[in-house]
Amino acid sequence: MLVKDRGKSIRIRKLEVMQRRVIKLHPKYLIMEDELSGRLAGHFGEQSNDYFLKPFRNFSVMHDLRLTAHESYFQIDTLLLSPRYLLNLEVKYITGTLIFDHLNQVIRVKDDGSEEAFRNPIFQVKRQQSHLIEWMTKNRTPPIPVRSLVVMSNPRTIIKALPSNKDVLHYITHSPYLQEKIKVIDKMYTDEKLTIKEVNKLSKMLVRHHVPENPDLLKRYGIEDKDIIKGVYCTECFYLPVVRKKAVWLCPKCLHKSKDLHLYSLSDYVLLFGKSITNKQLCEFLCLSSRHIGKRLLNDMNLPHTGGKKGRVYTLPDPY
DNA sequence: TGTCTATGACGTTATCTCAC
DNA sequence: GTGAGATAACGTCATAGACA
């Protein structure tokens, strides 16, 4: 049973907006694009792994769980809950060969032969597991064993390790073998520690304590207002800016016409700057020639607002 | 001709500046 | 610190123009 679904994270959505709207000459643009492609690959890997979880209908499944630990947070890609144990899955989409050496270092060898140090995913998953156990103790949930696995969702990833490195065998699997791995773990935990009702209660509690990540990427990448390309973009060809003619947005590139293209660009605004907006900010962001057009668009959206005349602040809806 | 949109005029309100 | 005037921002209303 799917309890919490996986969507594109706020971070990925913000990066997508920044890729579209930050000037290409910005010194951090390529680093930002790199982060986006890495995170999209991870997202794709996690989604493709979901296919291998379909046979396990007796588990409650939660994706992208972010919980507090001490003063910070820990994130779980996928958590399977059963009355006998919890299974924490860390999904990795990695290309090339991963070598686990005798010093517990992880080296990734790319297809072109270049090498780079990699964060050891086994340490990562062990840390998540101990954070989860701590979290459950703190929140006084009934005790239940927790197991963790690192799932390699790219079938072409080659994993090399010394035979003495038992952790690799214990913790790492490729997604097509995940079913077999779970069946083995299933046989190890035969005692029911929780009732179905308690499992449901625990999953509801986890969803309630989930804290969505909402990083300030503009600050992180040092992007200022002047670095952002303003205007309404075309949803068909992504050309920016489209022009407004007779209350209709017209894309000069693909000639796509629509009355409500500005709504998509206002979603960009929400992801970049937040949900609060004044008529002046709206006019500037959408490159409107008249504040009256801005006022009309705001009125048509029927948005909640604070303030009377001067200083009125509208609250935009959640991004699409 | 009716409807819709854009825009100018004007009023209201908040904020800033400066003299007292 | 306070009050008056200047300025900016915004809402409302009226009207002109385009279009079906």
Side-chain angles (χ1 to χ4, degrees):
Chain A
M1 182 181 70
L2 185 62
V3 179
K4 183 180 177 296
D5 203 358
R6 177 200 318 287
K8 258 189 196 173
S9 67
I10 295 281
R11 183 185 282 269
I12 290 179
R13 299 183 63 192
K14 282 189 172 189
L15 286 165
E16 285 176 335
V17 171
M18 285 160 68
Q19 186 190 38
R20 177 163 60 237
R21 289 200 176 263
V22 172
I23 53 168
K24 307 282 183 284
L25 291 173
H26 191 277
K28 297 277 181 67
Y29 188 85
L30 290 177
I31 304 171
M32 196 181 71
E33 258 195 337
D34 264 3
E35 184 185 346
L36 175 61
S37 60
R39 290 192 182 273
L40 279 174
H43 179 70
F44 166 73
E46 288 165 15
Q47 275 189 328
S48 63
N49 186 62
D50 293 350
Y51 168 79
F52 299 101
L53 293 174
K54 280 186 180 165
F56 296 95
R57 293 180 204 284
N58 51 333
F59 283 98
S60 292
V61 182
M62 310 178 79
H63 296 297
D64 274 341
L65 202 55
R66 188 166 175 265
L67 302 166
T68 46
H70 309 296
E71 297 300 305
S72 63
Y73 300 92
F74 67 100
Q75 193 146 0
I76 291 174
D77 283 346
T78 300
L79 185 66
L80 306 184
L81 299 92
S82 81
R84 288 169 288 140
Y85 65 98
L86 307 187
L87 182 58
N88 163 36
L89 301 179
E90 173 65 24
V91 184
K92 296 287 181 198
Y93 188 89
I94 298 169
T95 52
T97 302
L98 274 192
I99 301 170
F100 292 78
D101 72 6
H102 61 286
L103 294 171
N104 277 321
Q105 291 183 119
V106 179
I107 298 153
R108 192 251 291 259
V109 182
K110 291 186 185 173
D111 295 338
D112 61 4
S114 61
E115 291 185 0
E116 65 176 339
F118 222 78
R119 279 173 66 191
N120 191 328
I122 298 174
F123 287 172
Q124 191 184 349
V125 88
K126 280 182 177 176
R127 203 163 42 242
Q128 285 167 354
Q129 180 173 320
S130 60
H131 280 321
L132 180 61
I133 292 168
E134 267 179 49
W135 184 91
M136 291 197 299
T137 310
K138 193 179 158 195
N139 287 281
R140 295 180 184 161
T141 63
I144 183 165
V146 180
R147 279 292 304 266
S148 296
L149 288 175
V150 177
V151 185
M152 296 295 174
S153 59
N154 182 354
R156 285 204 289 271
T157 310
I158 299 166
I159 296 160
K160 290 183 179 174
L162 295 171
S164 56
N165 194 336
K166 298 273 190 293
D167 268 359
V168 173
L169 199 64
H170 188 72
Y171 281 102
I172 296 190
T173 183
H174 271 105
S175 43
Y177 307 117
L178 181 59
Q179 292 183 24
E180 290 307 312
K181 196 86 180 177
I182 293 178
K183 280 177 191 169
V184 171
I185 296 172
D186 251 359
K187 285 177 187 161
M188 294 165 65
Y189 299 95
T190 50
D191 292 349
E192 297 219 340
K193 304 287 183 188
L194 303 180
T195 62
I196 295 291
K197 200 174 170 184
E198 284 173 321
V199 171
N200 291 339
K201 194 177 167 190
L202 175 58
S203 45
K204 276 180 191 163
M205 192 172 178
L206 286 162
V207 171
R208 210 168 51 243
H209 283 78
H210 165 69
V211 185
E213 189 190 21
N214 192 3
D216 186 351
L217 295 182
L218 292 184
K219 191 176 169 189
R220 189 177 146 201
Y221 282 103
I223 291 161
E224 297 172 32
D225 191 61
K226 64 177 171 52
D227 302 321
I228 290 174
I229 303 167
K230 309 287 198 317
V232 173
Y233 76 91
C234 174
T235 51
E236 297 298 308
C237 69
F238 291 95
Y239 180 83
L240 201 168
V242 300
V243 292
R244 188 172 172 85
K245 280 187 180 170
K246 294 282 150 207
V248 173
W249 297 104
L250 170 69
C251 175
K253 192 179 170 193
C254 71
L255 303 180
H256 173 60
K257 275 185 185 177
S258 170
K259 280 175 81 77
D260 50 15
L261 277 186
H262 59 282
L263 298 178
Y264 298 92
S265 288
L266 287 175
S267 278
D268 286 5
Y269 185 94
V270 172
L271 287 164
L272 291 173
F273 304 111
K275 293 169 86 168
S276 298
I277 195 167
T278 63
N279 187 19
K280 193 184 179 201
Q281 288 168 328
L282 178 125
C283 291
E284 280 172 9
F285 189 72
L286 301 183
C287 295
L288 300 177
S289 55
S290 155
R291 64 187 177 85
H292 292 96
I293 302 173
K295 171 67 184 154
R296 176 177 292 276
L297 296 179
L298 287 165
N299 277 352
D300 289 350
M301 284 189 280
N302 204 16
L303 299 172
H305 59 263
T306 57
K309 300 212 170 192
K310 184 182 166 116
R312 181 175 287 195
V313 178
Y314 299 84
T315 303
L316 291 166
D318 288 325
Y320 292 123

